[in-house]
Amino acid sequence: MPTTVTAAVRARAAQGERAAAALDGRLADFHVPRRPEWTCRSCEQDTPWPCAPARVRLAEAYGRDRIGLSMYVGSLHAVAVIELPAIPAGELYERFVSWAR
């Protein structure tokens, strides 16, 4: 069963890679993540991404489509889970997804 979970997370992360590739365009190269650390390139050093300005820009880009926004940041969350294995997935969920509700 753990292999299935890992395969599912990796499949979701592949989808998330496409979402991450679109970040520069969505955020106009402003407050984009430095990967694989997932820190903001524009804020003070070591500011976790998504920072407050990135959240605002993403929310504005999706407008009233909260489901679309949640799906998008959920895809990014899947990538972050793989790239930040030392941080618990639940903590990353709070950081990446919970604000989008």
Side-chain angles (χ1 to χ4, degrees):
M1 183 108 144
T3 305
T4 305
V5 172
T6 302
V9 169
R10 290 200 182 280
R12 184 77 168 141
Q15 184 180 33
E17 283 295 337
R18 292 188 294 279
L23 275 171
D24 289 346
R26 286 191 187 273
L27 299 175
D29 289 330
F30 186 67
H31 291 281
V32 294
R34 180 180 300 109
R35 291 180 56 207
E37 301 87 10
W38 288 93
T39 56
C40 181
R41 290 184 185 172
S42 300
C43 291
E44 292 182 26
Q45 187 176 10
D46 298 328
T47 298
W49 193 93
C51 58
R55 290 176 181 190
V56 168
R57 291 185 75 115
L58 286 167
E60 289 173 348
Y62 277 88
R64 300 180 128 218
D65 184 8
R66 289 302 205 201
I67 293 171
L69 174 60
S70 295
M71 290 174 65
Y72 185 73
V73 295
S75 294
L76 298 175
H77 169 257
V79 175
V81 166
I82 290 173
E83 292 183 348
L84 300 171
I87 301 175
E91 192 175 312
L92 289 173
Y93 176 85
E94 289 296 320
R95 179 171 148 187
F96 278 81
V97 181
S98 69
W99 66 270
R101 293 189 246 174

